[in-house]
Amino acid sequence: MRAGFCAAQAVELARQAVQVVDAGRHPGVNFGSGLLHLSDGLRVPAGALWLPWGVSAAGLAWLAWGGPRARRGLPAWGLGQVTLWAGGGWEINAPERVALWAACALWLGLAGEDPRAPGREDPWPRRFVRVWLVGMYGMAGMMKLHEPGWWDGTILAQALVDPWMGGSAAGAWMASQGSLCAALGRLVVAFELFAPVALLVPRWNPWALAAGVAFHLGVGAFLSVGTLGWTVLACYPVALSPTAWAALRARGTA
C-alpha cells in the first residue's frame, strides 16, 4: 500500500506542479474556494507555492524510502498538501479526499509495524481501511440509487463527452449507445451497493476487490478522475481478508 500510495501521489505532485506554474502566470485569479475558504482572505503568493510543494515532495520521498521512520514523511506531505489547497485556492475534490483517507490508514499501519517482531501486525489499520471503503462505496451507491440519470445512462453519457472529464473518441461512441450507457450506469450502482456488504464477508471479499479493480480501471480508461482510482487500488492489499491472504500464501508454498 505504501508503494502504491507514493506512486499515485507522485503523479499528483506532477499535476500540481503544472497548477503552481499556472498560478504564477495568473497571480490575480483564484481558481477555487480552497480549504475552509481561507484563500478568500489569505493567499499564498504564487511564487511561494513552490515551498509547500517542495515540502510535500520531500515528505513523499521520505515515505517512499521506507524504513522504520518512513511514517515521519506523512506529516510533511500532508502539511504541504493542505497549504497548497488552502493558500492556493485550489478545489478539494474526490482525489484529494481519498488521498487524505489513505494517508490516515498508512499512518495507523506504519505506527503498528514492529521491526523487532516480523509477522506481527496491528489489526486496526486493516479494519480502518475496510470501514473507509465500505463508507465510500456505500455512500456513493446510495446517492446514485435515487438519481434517475444513473439508471437511464444520461449522466454517464454526459461525462463521456465532457471535454474535461471524457472527450475521447471511444467515449463519444459509448455515449451514443443509450442502452450501453444505461447498462453501465446500473452496473456502477450495483457494484457500489454490493461492495460494502461483500468487503465484510470473508468468502466474498476477494470477489468484491476483483470487481473493484475492474471498476476503477474501467473508469480510468474512459474518464479523467485524476489519481483517485490508483490511490484506492493501493489500499486494496490491506482490504483483502486475512483468510484470503492465508489461502494465497498456502498456494505459494505448495
Side-chain angles (χ1 to χ4, degrees):
M1 177 181 173
R2 179 173 58 84
F5 175 87
C6 290
Q9 297 315 306
V11 173
E12 182 67 16
L13 277 170
R15 186 190 66 81
Q16 290 176 342
V18 177
Q19 285 186 276
V20 173
V21 172
D22 203 23
R25 292 172 178 170
H26 307 86
V29 177
N30 190 339
F31 291 96
S33 61
L35 186 66
L36 301 178
H37 295 265
L38 290 178
S39 60
D40 292 344
L42 177 64
R43 288 289 300 277
V44 175
L49 288 174
W50 285 114
L51 178 59
W53 185 92
V55 170
S56 192
L60 190 67
W62 192 346
L63 178 65
W65 184 262
R69 296 181 177 84
R71 181 172 178 251
R72 298 181 183 179
L74 273 172
W77 170 85
L79 177 62
Q81 290 295 297
V82 170
T83 304
L84 285 171
W85 300 336
W90 296 356
E91 292 181 331
I92 308 298
N93 295 312
E96 290 81 12
R97 294 193 296 269
V98 164
L100 284 181
W101 281 111
C104 291
L106 270 177
W107 178 266
L108 293 173
L110 295 175
E113 285 186 353
D114 186 354
R116 297 166 298 179
R120 294 186 59 186
E121 66 171 21
D122 182 353
W124 286 106
R126 188 182 300 276
R127 293 169 183 168
F128 177 90
V129 169
R130 283 210 205 108
V131 170
W132 162 51
L133 291 177
V134 164
M136 180 183 69
Y137 288 131
M139 291 176 64
M142 290 301 295
M143 288 190 292
K144 292 181 176 69
L145 183 63
H146 303 288
E147 177 54 64
W150 280 101
W151 293 99
D152 60 22
T154 55
I155 289 181
L156 182 57
Q158 290 170 3
L160 287 168
V161 297
D162 183 272
W164 297 105
M165 180 166 267
S168 67
W173 177 84
M174 291 174 62
S176 68
Q177 309 300 310
S179 58
L180 176 60
C181 285
L184 290 175
R186 295 172 186 179
L187 194 60
V188 168
V189 177
F191 165 72
E192 291 181 339
L193 292 177
F194 159 79
V197 177
L199 283 170
L200 300 178
V201 179
R203 182 178 296 181
W204 297 350
N205 174 276
W207 296 104
L209 294 176
V213 171
F215 169 74
H216 287 291
L217 291 181
V219 170
F222 296 100
L223 297 174
S224 177
V225 292
T227 55
L228 185 153
W230 296 113
T231 304
V232 173
L233 291 179
C235 302
Y236 270 25
V238 180
L240 188 63
S241 71
T243 304
W245 270 119
L248 288 174
R249 292 194 189 100
R251 291 180 183 178
T253 56

